[in-house]
Amino acid sequence: MASRTLYSQRDPALKKRDDFEDILEERRNSSDLKYALKCYMPVLYKGVTPCKPSMIKTMVLQSEQLRYVVTELSKETGEATEVIQGEALAILEEMAHKLHLGTVRFFAYMLNKAFKVLYQRIRVNEDGIQRLQQAIQEHPLVLLPSHRSYMDFLIVSYLLYTNDLALPVIAAGMDFLGMKFVGEMLRMSGAFFIRRSFGGDRLYWAVFSEYVKTILRNGYAPIEFFLEGTRSRTCKSLTPKVGLLSIAMEPFFKGEVFDVSMVPISISYERVLEEALYARELLGVPKPKESTSGLLKARRILSEDYGNIHVYFGQPVSLRSLAQGRINRSQYNLMPRHISRRPGEDVQVFVNDVAYKMVRLQEESMVLRPWVLVATILLQNPHGVEAVWLAEQTAWLRGLAQAFGAFLDWPDHISASRAVASGLALHPNLVCTERGRVRLATEPKGPGARAPEEDLFNHAVTVLSCASYRNQVLHVFLRPALLAMAMDVAPTSRKDDVYSCFGYLRDVFSNEFILCPGAEVQDFDEACFLLTKCSAIQILKQDIVATERGRPTLSFLSAMFQPFLLGYQVVCRYLCEEVAESLPEKSYVAGVRSYAVKRILSGELACLEVLSSDLQKNVLAALLRMGALRKSKAGELVTLRVNKSAINTIENTLGGRVSTQKPVLARL
Amino acid sequence: MMGRGTAVGSRSGMASDRSGYGRQRAARQRLEVISGHLGRQEASGACEGRQADDVHRNAVPRRRQDVLKWNGWGFRDSKFLFNKKGLAELTGKRYQLSGTLMPGLKDWFEGTFGANLQHRSPAVPALNPSVVPPPNLHAAFVEALKEATIPCTHEPEDRVFHSHGHCLHEIFALREGKIGRVPDLVVWPGCHADVVRIVELACQHNVCLIPYGGGTSVSSALQCPLEESRCIISVDTSQMNRILWIDEKNLTAHVEAGIIGQDLERLLREHGYCTGHEPDSMEFSSLGGWVATRASGMKKNVYGNIENLVVHIKMVTPCGVMEKSCQGPRISAGPDIHHFILGSEGTLGVVTEVTLKIRPFPEYRKYGSVVFPSFEQGVSCLREVAKQRCAPASIRLMDNAQFHFGHALRPQTSMFMSFLDGLKKFYITKFKGFDPQRLCVATLLFEGDQNHVLNQEQQVYDIAAQFGGLAAGEDNGQRGYLLTFIIAYLRDLGMEYYVIGESFETSVPWDRVLDLCRNVKERIERECKDRGVQFPPLSTCRVTQIYDAGACVYFYFAFNYRGLSDPMRLYEQVEHSAREEILASGGSLSHHHGVGKLRKQWMQETISKVGLGMLRSVKEHLDPQNIFGNRNLL
């Protein structure tokens, strides 16, 4: 099993991490203009002769792969090859970047100004930069940053420019092109644009993949893209998309490059610019269309304090080492390499595993500020807590998180109460302190009576925003918490019962959290190890039991994930109670939402996180995966068919109301 | 890496040689020899050759160790050394380069490997017979051999000599005085009938036979299997070395399979012919060995590889003698049984006689060389030459590291010559803008009638010019070919100073040549680094043969092992990884070295499980007792 080798580190708390340095400090003391005009002479991939972006385009258009697809299409459609070649050129024009140093310098100047206003510090691990400098020269490079904010696009390039490293070519969604100037500006600073969906378009796929591969093969520039595909609105890592990654790996599989280095980059924001926007979006206010005027309006955010950014450049991961013993590259020997074909099962599984591994690496190096611990505690106590107790509790949680390997940015000399206070100060819109009690902020009831839905909606914005901070720490606690929940749910304390419940929960939640496929055993082992280490459980010969000391820990962990458990149950209940046999996919989210709102207003349900469309979509994906829902297509209309008994079973199992669930558990 | 052997001294004159000797004299001589052979055979049965042994005629005698090194490559009188002034020289008088001083080698050697002439790793001075395990003789078998008057011996020196080929690990062990399992008996059949008798007796007494030709294997093919408990007999074919007849109407020659390359070419030349088959090892390797390993010759573009040269093969197997009934140039009668023999690596029987195509000795020969700005452009040029099917007899492309290596082997020259070299260098690097760290050289050898050669030369240089190539003179070309057959001697020099090296080859489709070269070289470097080799290894390649659909690529790999605890193991691991990389990059298991025991583990991957089953069933049919028990290939 591959993932076994992927995680050899037994005790995550022993993980060695680099130190950070603030790069803004130097910027504050020197001229922005001088900085923007500085001499920029990056090191390049082993002796590559630098070429212009237009050269790349020519290479793509003349590539055998593209010519082959063009000929094939021409044969199929009867259209002249010149016409199709013309279409390919148009696609390429729309897609290709036009890296232009002047624009980069302009951006550098502007960003400098903006960063200095917005952020207290931008902290980067210098060792990571050093490693990157080495890696750039040795092998083609793929940069894989986490994606929490639009800022991610700019910040990596900004840092590489600052450190005199080769600027990456960045895959961006086509929607940016909707923004006047900005799209083109991004293009000139190295972005290239891909359509969000082009499933069946072979020509598009050919141009796109050849473009990426040409850049990679020639080591022309590092390629940067977001494995998660889109900005995570919840600050939880999203399950990775593998399309671009598998394209980037192909030159290695086909022997066209010796190796490819993949560098996970974790960008953590103490306060995300889009915070409130995300929460609204999750609650069903559609995402505003990208527009320049929108961006200008966003200027008011310049007046607020967004704390620190931490950027951690991870250890470059060698694709060759990962593929060693897993991929038989000679499978590509029997066909001309320009004819692309569907990758074999082994390759698909491998790409998927690597994608998960990289996202896990991103997660592990995400810097957590004390505030996320505070948010975690506050969400479990929606009616507020004593400030003193909050500080104590935060200190306790800090110890637990560190034991579990969290990358906390909390220097030893800062006391818990100070840490809590500074966190609260940075998020006045989310929390308020009254007479020594801290609670989530609610807007004061205005004079005019508002609809209860509106109040609910406003409160939910706060809760979801707050949850987005708690979410940042979930990956640290996920495995132990799944074990804690499994112990709650399991009919007995016998090891195999607990294990099968653990596996079941893991399976249910595998669209919600980053759980590497096929790594049940390792995850279970890790969970057992961590909980034993902090004396929360004892592993006996046959059983796993909670210790007296450990009960608070276990119940805290369970409570942390309770919203998800509840959320999944609520959706199941909705499908059982409100849906006859099938429903159109389009009305799913709205249906769940109105059901949940009803239940909340009636007081049956207290958990507002159920309203998050992200959660609802994850449940949908999980139910489809588990076969409790089926999609059927009739023309444009996609219908979901509900398998009620399966849904019932899932709901009951999650609620721990079943002891005779053998058939379901046997599936594991 | 096996040294490009050539008939001693015969090279120098050839470039200008048109028609060296009188036609009439040649014809007379030819007739005499032919009638002599035929008469002898008819008159006194099969084995006249045994007495007629031709100490004066053959380059290699029965007691090989008298002339050849027991623990290194080639002739005892020829070896490289650094003299007191640190200048390298090749001793002896056999080679054109013998006696010339090479002032550049020391610096290159020390600079490339981080070696030091003060740090020596000498071999044991002589074989200690007491470390050779006593022979496990089968008395009845030996008795029967004596009765059949077939010479044999169990002298330790002979047995040790027949226990190895020229893989690095084999020579390294000998230099350290380590002797493993060796044959128990060496036998010298004098003719086909002797071999028939030996195989009969072996079957009767259930002993193990290992055919031995020239002993130049680089695939561990001659190593005695450790698991073999029977008496092992090395069947040395060197005394079966006559040309039995020459057929000038069909241009074929019938030759005993033990003849070694240089003798074959020399004898044919006396009649005005040649086979044109010149593998790098032709000074020592035998006709039977070529057949058994699917050998390839440097000039295959004109003459073909061994499978294109053979017309008829006679092989003695435990089931009897296998041969075809006619000499038709091509036969459609089921799968070609020759292809069971070609590449069988001594697992099925002993090849005793072969009918080969011969060609009139070429009228005109010309060397040439081309400098390319980069290896990539050089490969493109070779590809185009292959496409236009205008390849000279030989065309080889060396990468930059080999270019520097070749440069280090330049002989000491006069002031004027070095001034001239300086000018050339200036022209290429400054005027033409070639980067000395990227440029590479192709060497060319043209052969045939003069007009044809000159036209072909023009065509090749025109193509080269399209890829930025500059003609770099005949001298450079010729020196390139001289170096190929002394390079194995250089390995012995390296081993005196803690540097070990080996070569290996593959064949690969054109579109993957560059990728394969880059990946394999880099893999070698990386494996060495990961395994703690202090100084970066020499990891270099050349394209040595071109085909319509691909090329043969040769890799050289050498490193300084001073301070490493188990250099052989490390070396083997790196070579193993390099082979994996070759296979993953679309290369073949071997182009002409064969599989032996060294590459056996990849056979199934290479020819599929079904294919392996087919070969196994042939082996089981022919040799159910595993008399030919060298355990190669399968």
Side-chain angles (χ1 to χ4, degrees), chain A residues 444-478:
Chain A
K445 287 214 190 296
R450 279 181 303 189
E453 281 90 352
E454 203 173 325
D455 270 339
L456 175 60
F457 174 83
N458 282 333
H459 189 50
V461 169
T462 313
V463 170
L464 289 186
S465 302
C466 210
S468 76
Y469 292 100
R470 176 211 57 202
N471 286 346
Q472 295 177 20
V473 81
L474 286 183
H475 69 92
V476 174
F477 297 105
L478 173 60

mmCIF file of all heavy atoms in Angstrom, chain A residues 444-478:
data_model
loop_
_atom_site.group_PDB
_atom_site.id
_atom_site.type_symbol
_atom_site.label_atom_id
_atom_site.label_comp_id
_atom_site.label_asym_id
_atom_site.label_seq_id
_atom_site.Cartn_x
_atom_site.Cartn_y
_atom_site.Cartn_z
ATOM 1 N N PRO A 444 -27.018 43.803 16.806
ATOM 2 C CA PRO A 444 -28.102 44.190 17.736
ATOM 3 C C PRO A 444 -29.435 44.218 17.004
ATOM 4 O O PRO A 444 -29.508 44.553 15.833
ATOM 5 C CB PRO A 444 -27.677 45.604 18.172
ATOM 6 C CG PRO A 444 -26.738 46.082 17.089
ATOM 7 C CD PRO A 444 -26.050 44.856 16.570
ATOM 8 N N LYS A 445 -30.441 43.795 17.727
ATOM 9 C CA LYS A 445 -31.753 43.813 17.091
ATOM 10 C C LYS A 445 -32.147 45.264 16.807
ATOM 11 O O LYS A 445 -32.115 46.105 17.674
ATOM 12 C CB LYS A 445 -32.777 43.181 18.027
ATOM 13 C CG LYS A 445 -32.625 41.681 18.129
ATOM 14 C CD LYS A 445 -34.004 41.036 18.311
ATOM 15 C CE LYS A 445 -33.940 39.570 18.670
ATOM 16 N NZ LYS A 445 -33.427 38.626 17.820
ATOM 17 N N GLY A 446 -32.462 45.500 15.581
ATOM 18 C CA GLY A 446 -32.816 46.862 15.202
ATOM 19 C C GLY A 446 -34.228 47.204 15.682
ATOM 20 O O GLY A 446 -34.913 46.351 16.240
ATOM 21 N N PRO A 447 -34.598 48.434 15.487
ATOM 22 C CA PRO A 447 -35.938 48.850 15.927
ATOM 23 C C PRO A 447 -37.040 48.106 15.177
ATOM 24 O O PRO A 447 -37.938 47.515 15.791
ATOM 25 C CB PRO A 447 -35.966 50.348 15.624
ATOM 26 C CG PRO A 447 -34.830 50.588 14.664
ATOM 27 C CD PRO A 447 -33.848 49.501 14.842
ATOM 28 N N GLY A 448 -36.924 48.107 13.865
ATOM 29 C CA GLY A 448 -37.971 47.447 13.095
ATOM 30 C C GLY A 448 -37.851 45.944 13.228
ATOM 31 O O GLY A 448 -36.752 45.407 13.237
ATOM 32 N N ALA A 449 -38.949 45.287 13.399
ATOM 33 C CA ALA A 449 -38.905 43.835 13.514
ATOM 34 C C ALA A 449 -38.505 43.247 12.169
ATOM 35 O O ALA A 449 -39.074 43.586 11.144
ATOM 36 C CB ALA A 449 -40.266 43.289 13.941
ATOM 37 N N ARG A 450 -37.459 42.404 12.229
ATOM 38 C CA ARG A 450 -37.045 41.757 10.981
ATOM 39 C C ARG A 450 -37.549 40.331 10.972
ATOM 40 O O ARG A 450 -37.874 39.761 12.012
ATOM 41 C CB ARG A 450 -35.524 41.762 10.875
ATOM 42 C CG ARG A 450 -34.995 43.101 10.373
ATOM 43 C CD ARG A 450 -33.499 43.065 10.245
ATOM 44 N NE ARG A 450 -32.888 42.711 11.523
ATOM 45 C CZ ARG A 450 -31.565 42.780 11.719
ATOM 46 N NH1 ARG A 450 -30.760 43.134 10.752
ATOM 47 N NH2 ARG A 450 -31.062 42.462 12.883
ATOM 48 N N ALA A 451 -37.594 39.811 9.809
ATOM 49 C CA ALA A 451 -38.021 38.420 9.709
ATOM 50 C C ALA A 451 -37.037 37.539 10.454
ATOM 51 O O ALA A 451 -35.846 37.821 10.459
ATOM 52 C CB ALA A 451 -38.075 38.007 8.239
ATOM 53 N N PRO A 452 -37.522 36.507 11.123
ATOM 54 C CA PRO A 452 -36.596 35.621 11.857
ATOM 55 C C PRO A 452 -35.542 35.005 10.938
ATOM 56 O O PRO A 452 -34.413 34.783 11.354
ATOM 57 C CB PRO A 452 -37.503 34.536 12.441
ATOM 58 C CG PRO A 452 -38.837 34.720 11.807
ATOM 59 C CD PRO A 452 -38.909 36.100 11.240
ATOM 60 N N GLU A 453 -35.930 34.762 9.661
ATOM 61 C CA GLU A 453 -34.953 34.205 8.723
ATOM 62 C C GLU A 453 -33.751 35.135 8.585
ATOM 63 O O GLU A 453 -32.617 34.701 8.515
ATOM 64 C CB GLU A 453 -35.565 33.987 7.332
ATOM 65 C CG GLU A 453 -36.409 32.759 7.206
ATOM 66 C CD GLU A 453 -37.870 33.047 7.550
ATOM 67 O OE1 GLU A 453 -38.151 34.177 8.039
ATOM 68 O OE2 GLU A 453 -38.724 32.164 7.355
ATOM 69 N N GLU A 454 -34.045 36.427 8.558
ATOM 70 C CA GLU A 454 -32.964 37.383 8.351
ATOM 71 C C GLU A 454 -31.992 37.362 9.535
ATOM 72 O O GLU A 454 -30.788 37.385 9.368
ATOM 73 C CB GLU A 454 -33.554 38.783 8.171
ATOM 74 C CG GLU A 454 -32.612 39.712 7.420
ATOM 75 C CD GLU A 454 -33.291 41.030 7.107
ATOM 76 O OE1 GLU A 454 -34.522 41.015 6.834
ATOM 77 O OE2 GLU A 454 -32.605 42.059 7.170
ATOM 78 N N ASP A 455 -32.559 37.295 10.724
ATOM 79 C CA ASP A 455 -31.712 37.195 11.908
ATOM 80 C C ASP A 455 -30.857 35.950 11.850
ATOM 81 O O ASP A 455 -29.660 35.971 12.126
ATOM 82 C CB ASP A 455 -32.579 37.121 13.173
ATOM 83 C CG ASP A 455 -32.849 38.518 13.694
ATOM 84 O OD1 ASP A 455 -32.059 39.420 13.320
ATOM 85 O OD2 ASP A 455 -33.823 38.684 14.428
ATOM 86 N N LEU A 456 -31.534 34.887 11.518
ATOM 87 C CA LEU A 456 -30.842 33.607 11.425
ATOM 88 C C LEU A 456 -29.692 33.720 10.429
ATOM 89 O O LEU A 456 -28.569 33.292 10.689
ATOM 90 C CB LEU A 456 -31.831 32.533 10.974
ATOM 91 C CG LEU A 456 -31.232 31.157 10.709
ATOM 92 C CD1 LEU A 456 -30.587 30.606 11.963
ATOM 93 C CD2 LEU A 456 -32.302 30.202 10.192
ATOM 94 N N PHE A 457 -30.000 34.327 9.304
ATOM 95 C CA PHE A 457 -29.011 34.467 8.246
ATOM 96 C C PHE A 457 -27.806 35.255 8.758
ATOM 97 O O PHE A 457 -26.663 34.849 8.592
ATOM 98 C CB PHE A 457 -29.679 35.188 7.068
ATOM 99 C CG PHE A 457 -28.737 35.536 5.960
ATOM 100 C CD1 PHE A 457 -28.404 34.582 4.989
ATOM 101 C CD2 PHE A 457 -28.182 36.800 5.875
ATOM 102 C CE1 PHE A 457 -27.537 34.902 3.975
ATOM 103 C CE2 PHE A 457 -27.311 37.113 4.856
ATOM 104 C CZ PHE A 457 -26.982 36.169 3.904
ATOM 105 N N ASN A 458 -28.075 36.377 9.440
ATOM 106 C CA ASN A 458 -26.966 37.186 9.942
ATOM 107 C C ASN A 458 -26.116 36.425 10.950
ATOM 108 O O ASN A 458 -24.898 36.503 10.946
ATOM 109 C CB ASN A 458 -27.504 38.468 10.596
ATOM 110 C CG ASN A 458 -27.900 39.475 9.531
ATOM 111 O OD1 ASN A 458 -27.342 39.455 8.435
ATOM 112 N ND2 ASN A 458 -28.879 40.305 9.838
ATOM 113 N N HIS A 459 -26.798 35.711 11.811
ATOM 114 C CA HIS A 459 -26.060 34.960 12.807
ATOM 115 C C HIS A 459 -25.223 33.861 12.137
ATOM 116 O O HIS A 459 -24.068 33.623 12.504
ATOM 117 C CB HIS A 459 -27.028 34.353 13.828
ATOM 118 C CG HIS A 459 -26.316 33.750 14.993
ATOM 119 N ND1 HIS A 459 -25.340 34.440 15.705
ATOM 120 C CD2 HIS A 459 -26.409 32.527 15.571
ATOM 121 C CE1 HIS A 459 -24.878 33.663 16.658
ATOM 122 N NE2 HIS A 459 -25.500 32.499 16.604
ATOM 123 N N ALA A 460 -25.835 33.259 11.131
ATOM 124 C CA ALA A 460 -25.133 32.171 10.447
ATOM 125 C C ALA A 460 -23.861 32.687 9.787
ATOM 126 O O ALA A 460 -22.849 31.969 9.729
ATOM 127 C CB ALA A 460 -26.044 31.513 9.418
ATOM 128 N N VAL A 461 -23.887 33.931 9.303
ATOM 129 C CA VAL A 461 -22.669 34.492 8.695
ATOM 130 C C VAL A 461 -21.544 34.484 9.718
ATOM 131 O O VAL A 461 -20.420 34.068 9.442
ATOM 132 C CB VAL A 461 -22.922 35.924 8.184
ATOM 133 C CG1 VAL A 461 -21.600 36.600 7.816
ATOM 134 C CG2 VAL A 461 -23.840 35.897 6.988
ATOM 135 N N THR A 462 -21.863 34.919 10.928
ATOM 136 C CA THR A 462 -20.846 34.928 11.971
ATOM 137 C C THR A 462 -20.348 33.516 12.273
ATOM 138 O O THR A 462 -19.151 33.261 12.374
ATOM 139 C CB THR A 462 -21.433 35.542 13.270
ATOM 140 O OG1 THR A 462 -22.105 36.736 12.911
ATOM 141 C CG2 THR A 462 -20.341 35.808 14.265
ATOM 142 N N VAL A 463 -21.310 32.609 12.422
ATOM 143 C CA VAL A 463 -20.932 31.241 12.777
ATOM 144 C C VAL A 463 -20.042 30.622 11.684
ATOM 145 O O VAL A 463 -19.001 30.040 11.979
ATOM 146 C CB VAL A 463 -22.188 30.369 12.995
ATOM 147 C CG1 VAL A 463 -21.792 28.897 13.120
ATOM 148 C CG2 VAL A 463 -22.939 30.835 14.224
ATOM 149 N N LEU A 464 -20.445 30.806 10.438
ATOM 150 C CA LEU A 464 -19.661 30.195 9.367
ATOM 151 C C LEU A 464 -18.288 30.841 9.247
ATOM 152 O O LEU A 464 -17.292 30.167 8.967
ATOM 153 C CB LEU A 464 -20.417 30.268 8.035
ATOM 154 C CG LEU A 464 -21.625 29.342 7.935
ATOM 155 C CD1 LEU A 464 -22.207 29.380 6.527
ATOM 156 C CD2 LEU A 464 -21.273 27.911 8.307
ATOM 157 N N SER A 465 -18.238 32.166 9.465
ATOM 158 C CA SER A 465 -16.930 32.817 9.423
ATOM 159 C C SER A 465 -16.033 32.252 10.511
ATOM 160 O O SER A 465 -14.858 31.942 10.300
ATOM 161 C CB SER A 465 -17.053 34.315 9.623
ATOM 162 O OG SER A 465 -17.896 34.854 8.646
ATOM 163 N N CYS A 466 -16.626 32.140 11.669
ATOM 164 C CA CYS A 466 -15.877 31.608 12.798
ATOM 165 C C CYS A 466 -15.458 30.163 12.513
ATOM 166 O O CYS A 466 -14.326 29.757 12.802
ATOM 167 C CB CYS A 466 -16.776 31.674 14.028
ATOM 168 S SG CYS A 466 -15.865 31.899 15.517
ATOM 169 N N ALA A 467 -16.381 29.422 11.923
ATOM 170 C CA ALA A 467 -16.081 28.022 11.607
ATOM 171 C C ALA A 467 -14.909 27.928 10.640
ATOM 172 O O ALA A 467 -14.123 26.984 10.690
ATOM 173 C CB ALA A 467 -17.309 27.342 11.016
ATOM 174 N N SER A 468 -14.789 28.935 9.760
ATOM 175 C CA SER A 468 -13.707 28.845 8.786
ATOM 176 C C SER A 468 -12.354 28.910 9.492
ATOM 177 O O SER A 468 -11.358 28.440 8.958
ATOM 178 C CB SER A 468 -13.836 29.947 7.742
ATOM 179 O OG SER A 468 -13.428 31.168 8.293
ATOM 180 N N TYR A 469 -12.313 29.504 10.693
ATOM 181 C CA TYR A 469 -11.044 29.487 11.439
ATOM 182 C C TYR A 469 -10.859 28.159 12.150
ATOM 183 O O TYR A 469 -9.781 27.570 12.118
ATOM 184 C CB TYR A 469 -10.991 30.666 12.414
ATOM 185 C CG TYR A 469 -10.904 31.960 11.640
ATOM 186 C CD1 TYR A 469 -12.009 32.755 11.417
ATOM 187 C CD2 TYR A 469 -9.691 32.319 11.046
ATOM 188 C CE1 TYR A 469 -11.924 33.909 10.660
ATOM 189 C CE2 TYR A 469 -9.605 33.467 10.275
ATOM 190 C CZ TYR A 469 -10.717 34.261 10.085
ATOM 191 O OH TYR A 469 -10.625 35.376 9.320
ATOM 192 N N ARG A 470 -11.949 27.684 12.755
ATOM 193 C CA ARG A 470 -11.846 26.369 13.386
ATOM 194 C C ARG A 470 -11.420 25.328 12.344
ATOM 195 O O ARG A 470 -10.618 24.450 12.615
ATOM 196 C CB ARG A 470 -13.188 25.973 13.993
ATOM 197 C CG ARG A 470 -13.162 24.561 14.581
ATOM 198 C CD ARG A 470 -14.508 23.896 14.481
ATOM 199 N NE ARG A 470 -14.961 23.861 13.096
ATOM 200 C CZ ARG A 470 -16.217 23.729 12.726
ATOM 201 N NH1 ARG A 470 -17.148 23.650 13.639
ATOM 202 N NH2 ARG A 470 -16.539 23.714 11.449
ATOM 203 N N ASN A 471 -11.969 25.446 11.135
ATOM 204 C CA ASN A 471 -11.677 24.457 10.103
ATOM 205 C C ASN A 471 -10.183 24.309 9.821
ATOM 206 O O ASN A 471 -9.728 23.265 9.408
ATOM 207 C CB ASN A 471 -12.386 24.831 8.803
ATOM 208 C CG ASN A 471 -13.877 24.557 8.882
ATOM 209 O OD1 ASN A 471 -14.331 23.848 9.802
ATOM 210 N ND2 ASN A 471 -14.640 25.117 7.960
ATOM 211 N N GLN A 472 -9.465 25.406 10.052
ATOM 212 C CA GLN A 472 -8.031 25.338 9.752
ATOM 213 C C GLN A 472 -7.302 24.335 10.633
ATOM 214 O O GLN A 472 -6.242 23.837 10.274
ATOM 215 C CB GLN A 472 -7.394 26.722 9.932
ATOM 216 C CG GLN A 472 -7.932 27.721 8.947
ATOM 217 C CD GLN A 472 -7.363 29.114 9.169
ATOM 218 O OE1 GLN A 472 -6.332 29.282 9.793
ATOM 219 N NE2 GLN A 472 -8.046 30.111 8.649
ATOM 220 N N VAL A 473 -7.882 24.062 11.785
ATOM 221 C CA VAL A 473 -7.181 23.191 12.723
ATOM 222 C C VAL A 473 -7.734 21.759 12.679
ATOM 223 O O VAL A 473 -7.188 20.851 13.265
ATOM 224 C CB VAL A 473 -7.239 23.791 14.148
ATOM 225 C CG1 VAL A 473 -8.559 23.485 14.809
ATOM 226 C CG2 VAL A 473 -6.070 23.325 14.991
ATOM 227 N N LEU A 474 -8.810 21.580 11.916
ATOM 228 C CA LEU A 474 -9.479 20.273 11.939
ATOM 229 C C LEU A 474 -8.542 19.141 11.531
ATOM 230 O O LEU A 474 -8.587 18.054 12.085
ATOM 231 C CB LEU A 474 -10.685 20.278 11.003
ATOM 232 C CG LEU A 474 -11.904 21.061 11.519
ATOM 233 C CD1 LEU A 474 -13.060 20.933 10.533
ATOM 234 C CD2 LEU A 474 -12.319 20.576 12.889
ATOM 235 N N HIS A 475 -7.691 19.398 10.526
ATOM 236 C CA HIS A 475 -6.861 18.307 10.025
ATOM 237 C C HIS A 475 -5.943 17.756 11.104
ATOM 238 O O HIS A 475 -5.567 16.599 11.068
ATOM 239 C CB HIS A 475 -6.056 18.769 8.807
ATOM 240 C CG HIS A 475 -4.989 19.771 9.136
ATOM 241 N ND1 HIS A 475 -3.703 19.397 9.419
ATOM 242 C CD2 HIS A 475 -5.029 21.125 9.239
ATOM 243 C CE1 HIS A 475 -2.976 20.493 9.668
ATOM 244 N NE2 HIS A 475 -3.760 21.551 9.564
ATOM 245 N N VAL A 476 -5.635 18.597 12.095
ATOM 246 C CA VAL A 476 -4.774 18.130 13.182
ATOM 247 C C VAL A 476 -5.515 17.102 14.035
ATOM 248 O O VAL A 476 -4.939 16.108 14.489
ATOM 249 C CB VAL A 476 -4.331 19.323 14.059
ATOM 250 C CG1 VAL A 476 -3.553 18.843 15.272
ATOM 251 C CG2 VAL A 476 -3.528 20.309 13.231
ATOM 252 N N PHE A 477 -6.792 17.366 14.232
ATOM 253 C CA PHE A 477 -7.559 16.537 15.161
ATOM 254 C C PHE A 477 -8.380 15.464 14.464
ATOM 255 O O PHE A 477 -8.996 14.634 15.117
ATOM 256 C CB PHE A 477 -8.498 17.429 15.979
ATOM 257 C CG PHE A 477 -7.778 18.423 16.843
ATOM 258 C CD1 PHE A 477 -7.715 19.761 16.525
ATOM 259 C CD2 PHE A 477 -7.130 17.986 17.990
ATOM 260 C CE1 PHE A 477 -7.044 20.671 17.320
ATOM 261 C CE2 PHE A 477 -6.453 18.884 18.805
ATOM 262 C CZ PHE A 477 -6.403 20.225 18.465
ATOM 263 N N LEU A 478 -8.395 15.501 13.137
ATOM 264 C CA LEU A 478 -9.353 14.672 12.402
ATOM 265 C C LEU A 478 -9.282 13.199 12.781
ATOM 266 O O LEU A 478 -10.289 12.595 13.152
ATOM 267 C CB LEU A 478 -9.111 14.850 10.897
ATOM 268 C CG LEU A 478 -9.915 13.943 9.982
ATOM 269 C CD1 LEU A 478 -11.399 14.187 10.188
ATOM 270 C CD2 LEU A 478 -9.552 14.189 8.525
#
